[in-house]
Amino acid sequence: SNNQIKVSVIVTCFNLEQYISRAIRSCLNQTMPEDEYEVIVVDDASSDSSRMAIQSFGSQLIKPIFLDENVGVAGASNIGIRAASGKYIIRVDGDDYINKNTLLVMSEILDWNEDIGFVYCDHIVVTEGQEERRMEINTLEKLLNHGAGMMFRKLYMESIGLYDPELRNAEDYDLVLRYMENFSGYHIRAPYYRYFKRPGSLSTKKSEREDIQQQIRDRNTGHQLRRLARHLHQRLWPRV
């Protein structure tokens, strides 16, 4: 029954036929007991064969949602979150994947620490065919740039209004910035998230992203940013 679902994984997909099955498999292959989490896959009106790949998992293992029109990552994520039963939310991009202990470890930290509003971890950067290097998410900039693979409390997300569907890029930057104004994060110094860097992916379109980030920063005053930077600095480098 739904009442024991603790974690909802939201996988978003737009034309990722080569990668989406890997993402879903990684979410299903977890050490967390399978009745404690659900995998919601939101296909954002893909025009390739992503839909077939998603359907091949059936509707027992995953909750597939197929959109008729493309709404972007922010809109698709919000649709997934609204369909979620869990009290914790983690978003996985359809071309990324996660380590088998991700859901268990992250949810345990939230379970045992009321004061922690979200949990994030380091990433392994993956390029075509190989796992490359560890990327430590140890600066404010990196944290704001990598919103996938973070586990949030759903109530807290709802309280700040979820993702901004108007943003077609850098939606995670905006959400994490707003979330951190109110709730503190905890950095797991282990790379549970596999971040796939492919040529031409959204995060690679750097200049467009940087423009949007500047607009987001203008929207959120410099005062808040400085406070966040201080907060993060103290968290990342506690005084001994």
Side-chain angles (χ1 to χ4, degrees):
S1 69
N2 273 1
N3 61 2
Q4 62 188 127
I5 287 183
K6 187 189 289 185
V7 178
S8 296
V9 186
I10 314 292
V11 183
T12 51
C13 175
F14 175 64
N15 289 352
L16 296 171
E17 58 183 8
Q18 289 172 265
Y19 311 109
I20 187 62
S21 299
R22 174 178 70 179
I24 295 171
R25 278 197 310 271
S26 77
C27 295
L28 293 173
N29 182 31
Q30 291 290 308
T31 52
M32 184 175 211
E34 59 187 44
D35 58 350
E36 288 183 17
Y37 73 96
E38 61 181 354
V39 180
I40 297 172
V41 184
V42 185
D43 180 73
D44 196 10
S46 292
S47 55
D48 65 358
S49 60
S50 294
R51 191 184 174 120
M52 278 171 57
I54 295 164
Q55 280 171 328
S56 70
F57 285 92
S59 52
Q60 296 301 106
L61 290 174
I62 63 171
K63 271 171 132 170
I65 298 173
F66 298 105
L67 304 183
D68 294 326
E69 59 176 302
N70 180 273
V71 296
V73 177
S77 299
N78 287 349
I79 287 166
I81 294 164
R82 292 194 182 106
S85 314
K87 58 177 178 170
Y88 306 144
I89 301 284
I90 180 172
R91 195 167 73 68
V92 176
D93 284 325
D95 50 356
D96 296 338
Y97 53 108
I98 55 176
N99 173 278
K100 67 182 194 300
N101 296 310
T102 307
L103 301 186
L104 185 70
V105 172
M106 288 191 162
S107 64
E108 290 266 83
I109 288 171
L110 291 174
D111 283 347
W112 287 100
N113 301 282
E114 293 283 297
D115 60 309
I116 294 174
F118 66 100
V119 183
Y120 59 102
C121 62
D122 292 341
H123 295 187
I124 298 271
V125 179
V126 179
T127 51
E128 206 64 66
Q130 62 193 61
E131 298 204 353
E132 278 203 340
R133 59 186 171 86
R134 173 180 180 177
M135 174 169 61
E136 294 183 68
I137 306 292
N138 57 1
T139 65
L140 179 62
E141 199 58 26
K142 281 185 190 165
L143 180 61
L144 293 172
N145 274 314
H146 296 281
M150 300 169 89
M151 192 175 284
F152 299 97
R153 296 183 188 270
K154 187 169 75 175
L155 276 175
Y156 291 4
M157 278 187 111
E158 290 167 342
S159 76
I160 63 161
L162 307 187
Y163 289 95
D164 180 349
E166 298 298 302
L167 292 172
R168 280 293 181 136
N169 192 339
E171 70 292 321
D172 43 0
Y173 189 97
D174 172 68
L175 177 100
V176 176
L177 196 54
R178 285 184 287 122
Y179 200 94
M180 283 183 73
E181 281 173 35
N182 303 286
F183 311 111
S184 61
Y186 180 81
H187 177 205
I188 300 174
R189 295 177 62 182
Y192 285 113
Y193 195 81
R194 304 293 188 263
Y195 170 65
F196 182 62
K197 208 177 170 84
R198 69 182 202 278
S201 66
L202 257 186
S203 51
T204 322
K205 294 179 186 156
K206 214 159 176 248
S207 59
E208 181 194 344
R209 191 179 168 98
E210 279 161 2
D211 292 345
I212 300 174
Q213 285 172 358
Q214 189 54 56
Q215 292 163 27
I216 293 167
R217 281 197 294 271
D218 295 343
R219 233 167 36 182
N220 297 273
T221 65
H223 163 72
Q224 287 166 333
L225 271 173
R226 281 193 299 278
R227 198 184 66 197
L228 284 176
R230 267 203 313 277
H231 157 88
L232 198 70
H233 189 84
Q234 286 160 3
R235 292 227 152 231
L236 293 172
W237 297 281
R239 294 197 179 78
V240 181

